[in-house]
Amino acid sequence: MHQRTQNPCEIIDRSPVSALQIRVLLLCFLILVMDGFDTAAIGYIAPELIRNWGIERAQLAPAFGAGLFGMLLGSFCFGPLADRLGRKSVLLICVLIFALGTLASALSPSIEVLAGLRCITGIGLGGVLPNCITLSSEYSPARRRMLLVTLSYSGFTLGLALGGGVAGALLPTVGWQGLLVIGGIAPLLLWPVLYFALPESVCFMANNPRHAVALRRIVERISGETDWQQVRFAGDAPASLGRSPLSALFSQGQMTRTLLLWLTFFCCLLVFYLLTSWLPTVLHASGYNTANAARISAMIPFGGVLGGIAMALLMDRIGALRILPWLCLGAAAALALTGSQLHGAVGTLVIVFLAGFSLTGTLNNLSVVAATLYPTASRATGVAWALAAGRAGSITGSMLGGWIFSNAGSLEHFFLWIATPALLAGLALGLMNRIRQKPQAEIEPTA
């Protein structure tokens, strides 16, 4: 009997969402909750380190910077590796690295040792996010991809926010070492579950004949059908398989889009890290007490969760690159107006919420867009290197914040300075929308 060829990603697109796909999205969500918690852990334990080690706040800078630099390295290294070895295999390695790195950090005797261990931890953290995004994207049907992957990605934002509540409740009891131990043990407990319950990407397996039997079993569970014995599964064009994953980012008309995507990530994460690092200080300078400053600052991640989900629903209908430029320009407008609202608590709360809704909402969906721009053989690399550009922006933002704060002249000008990169990101996204993309074999933008 003649054997027909079928792309498994097309089967996912036309089938109802199965229990297996929900399991993948839920496991990626849990991984990202822990990723977000361990990413933010250094910030939550900073006051304890200052008190216990008798150091100045400025002396913590190497530990903060080392973690961000490690994330940059992790994004650069583990994206191409995942395109070669598989998403699941690399994800398991990354979870193990950041779990053990966080545990080891609890034994740090000095800030220098902690900085080194935070760099190692950051390498694992930097590899987790792009692979979770890629895996959840490849298990999501095109008609609901933006929403499903954004819900999964929201685990990272939730982990950032959850860390504050957990730290506030447990730090007085367990200390900074105990908090890091919890941050390391939790992913270690999840690791065996991931090993046995998390499947490899169907898109990746379709291009690797040795996965044929496992792929057929997964397709049966997703489709609810068993008549796949006479079907040969294949992914995107074989021509892409012999090339370096990185080369696909700059070939076939992709160079301009890739560079614009990197610029957008750089600008958005520069603003996000600058804002989250310096907003409490700015609010204190405006007369807000610690409790009110924390409450207002929390609107950045909280608004982002709501913005990411709300916009994902819209993007699945209209198209991501038709919505994101306006969302990013909205962030620029909200940031530009923030300085003029600082005199009133309600006005400040509302404008910061709008900034979080639009800026963090853009970031939550931008990673999903990155996964739609590249074929299977280079998708993890594309997402990881875009996030690496964003990590470079986060490092720049954390370094520039103090300089801008000292040289802006006024708080109104401070926020105008911050709004400028957000404006540039909106323009870059607008240009991306105008550049025609060559169709991909499996995952296309929902526009």
Side-chain angles (χ1 to χ4, degrees):
M1 184 181 295
H2 179 68
Q3 193 176 47
R4 61 189 176 94
T5 300
Q6 178 72 64
N7 190 322
C9 297
E10 294 174 355
I11 298 172
I12 288 176
D13 286 345
R14 67 170 181 257
S15 301
V17 178
S18 66
L20 177 64
Q21 291 163 277
I22 294 173
R23 183 208 301 171
V24 172
L25 293 168
L26 180 59
L27 288 174
C28 287
F29 174 86
L30 291 175
I31 296 169
L32 290 176
V33 168
M34 297 175 189
D35 185 280
F37 180 89
D38 282 5
T39 296
I42 186 67
Y44 297 127
I45 67 174
E48 290 286 317
L49 295 176
I50 293 171
R51 181 165 54 253
N52 291 353
W53 287 347
I55 59 177
E56 300 293 330
R57 177 171 290 274
Q59 292 177 269
L60 286 173
F64 284 100
L68 292 173
F69 182 70
M71 292 179 195
L72 177 65
L73 292 179
S75 294
F76 271 128
C77 297
F78 286 117
L81 200 60
D83 282 325
R84 295 290 187 186
L85 303 180
R87 288 58 161 129
K88 176 182 176 178
S89 301
V90 172
L91 193 53
L92 288 173
I93 293 171
C94 292
V95 170
L96 203 57
I97 290 173
F98 88 73
L100 293 176
T102 303
L103 269 179
S105 297
L107 303 175
S108 299
S110 66
I111 190 64
E112 292 79 13
V113 173
L114 180 62
L117 290 172
R118 285 301 296 177
C119 182
I120 294 171
T121 304
I123 291 173
L125 294 170
V128 163
L129 188 56
N131 279 292
C132 278
I133 292 169
T134 302
L135 189 61
S136 54
S137 174
E138 290 174 337
Y139 268 99
S140 299
R143 65 186 181 277
R144 289 288 182 267
R145 181 166 297 128
M146 295 299 298
L147 176 61
L148 292 176
V149 182
T150 298
L151 286 171
S152 182
Y153 178 87
S154 66
F156 181 77
T157 310
L158 179 62
L160 293 175
L162 183 65
V166 172
L170 295 183
L171 269 176
T173 304
V174 302
W176 67 269
Q177 295 98 333
L179 192 69
L180 291 180
V181 167
I182 292 170
I185 287 179
L188 285 180
L189 293 176
L190 182 65
W191 197 91
V193 179
L194 299 175
Y195 183 86
F196 290 106
L198 186 67
E200 181 55 87
S201 159
V202 291
C203 301
F204 175 81
M205 289 192 292
N207 287 327
N208 293 267
R210 69 179 183 275
H211 294 299
V213 175
L215 177 58
R216 185 167 285 107
R217 286 200 298 264
I218 290 175
V219 169
E220 288 176 356
R221 297 183 65 178
I222 291 175
S223 65
E225 302 171 5
T226 57
D227 56 341
W228 300 104
Q229 297 303 316
Q230 300 302 321
V231 175
R232 183 181 71 87
F233 296 110
D236 41 14
S240 66
L241 298 178
R243 305 200 318 254
S244 161
L246 185 59
S247 66
L249 275 57
F250 300 97
S251 61
Q252 299 178 346
Q254 287 281 48
M255 177 180 288
T256 303
R257 276 198 169 213
T258 293
L259 294 177
L260 287 171
L261 181 68
W262 289 4
L263 176 62
T264 303
F265 266 99
F266 180 90
C267 290
C268 286
L269 277 169
L270 182 153
V271 175
F272 179 80
Y273 272 83
L274 195 157
L275 193 62
T276 53
S277 298
W278 286 91
L279 185 58
T281 302
V282 170
L283 292 173
H284 277 296
S286 300
Y288 292 92
N289 60 34
T290 301
N292 285 332
R295 190 177 299 113
I296 293 171
S297 298
M299 291 299 102
I300 296 295
F302 178 69
V305 171
L306 297 181
I309 294 172
M311 291 300 103
L313 286 167
L314 194 58
M315 290 175 200
D316 275 329
R317 293 180 175 274
I318 300 177
L321 288 178
R322 295 179 182 175
I323 301 296
L324 283 178
W326 297 106
L327 190 61
C328 209
L329 291 175
L335 289 169
L337 292 171
T338 300
S340 64
Q341 300 298 316
L342 293 176
H343 59 276
V346 175
T348 304
L349 189 75
V350 170
I351 201 69
V352 171
F353 172 83
L354 291 175
F357 183 96
S358 49
L359 175 66
T360 317
T362 297
L363 279 169
N364 286 359
N365 288 292
L366 195 57
S367 298
V368 191
V369 172
T372 69
L373 296 182
Y374 305 107
T376 298
S378 60
R379 184 169 300 126
T381 301
V383 175
W385 281 53
L387 283 168
R391 301 298 184 195
S394 68
I395 294 171
T396 304
S398 62
M399 293 171 60
L400 279 180
W403 183 86
I404 296 176
F405 189 71
S406 301
N407 291 275
S410 67
L411 293 180
E412 287 81 1
H413 289 160
F414 174 82
F415 283 101
L416 286 174
W417 280 57
I418 297 178
T420 303
L423 175 62
L424 183 59
L427 296 176
L429 284 168
L431 285 175
M432 284 180 65
N433 187 40
R434 294 181 65 86
I435 298 172
R436 184 179 179 184
Q437 181 191 8
K438 294 188 176 183
Q440 301 292 348
E442 339 150 359
I443 295 184
E444 297 186 30
T446 52

